[in-house]
Amino acid sequence: MRCPFCGHEETQVKDSRPTEDSSSIRRRRYCPECGERFTTFERVQLRELTVVKTGGRKQPFDRDKIIRSMQVALRKRPVDIEEIEMFANGIVRALETSGEPEIASSRIGELVMKALVALDVVGYIRYASVYKDFREPEDFGEFLRELEHLKAETGDKPGAA
Ligand SMILES: [Zn+2]
């Protein structure tokens, strides 16, 4: 498993155990290169979902990718892995119940941003600045207006994904 922080190829599994609801195996991993720790969840997928990237390339949906990208965005932020896991579950549920076997990667990006805005605004800004590929300072202005709008939408409902 590649380290999501530094890209190092080899990471060590420190601990493996089923999650509380037994729907997945939780693995704590350690990167000997940068010393960062992260967690992965291996889960039986109920439906096969395919992600369609910008440009049309397709790849199998990978729930772990959502968790890893959220972990990177929330690095050193006061957010528990359990909270990330809960929001990731919400995203997967939303995708699985949408009835669509193919999902645009941009749709996943939007759902991750919605989760992050509810979890931690700093993590949200980190994720969005990469995801939206900010180049100019003005890009932030529009972004912050969107943020106010999103906060208004999700602010009163902690736990809603
Ligand atoms: Zn690393």
Side-chain angles (χ1 to χ4, degrees), residues 27-93:
R27 294 205 163 90
R28 287 147 119 42
R29 292 168 189 269
Y30 169 76
C31 173
E33 187 69 17
C34 68
E36 203 65 53
R37 283 157 208 280
F38 62 105
T39 305
T40 56
F41 294 89
E42 209 168 274
R43 175 176 178 267
V44 175
Q45 199 141 319
L46 299 177
R47 290 185 53 214
E48 282 305 315
L49 297 173
T50 302
V51 179
V52 184
K53 312 271 276 183
T54 318
R57 207 158 48 83
K58 294 180 184 180
Q59 59 181 219
F61 174 72
D62 179 1
R63 178 177 177 279
D64 258 11
K65 257 192 192 163
I66 291 180
I67 292 184
R68 287 199 301 273
S69 63
M70 288 175 75
Q71 281 184 301
V72 169
L74 295 168
R75 182 183 198 178
K76 302 223 181 346
R77 297 295 302 160
V79 177
D80 290 341
I81 181 66
E82 281 75 18
E83 289 181 272
I84 296 178
E85 159 87 343
M86 194 182 78
F87 276 90
N89 278 344
I91 292 172
V92 174
R93 252 196 321 275

Side-chain angles (χ1 to χ4, degrees), residues 24 53 70 78 120 135 141:
S24 50
K53 312 271 276 183
M70 288 175 75
D120 182 70
R135 291 198 175 86

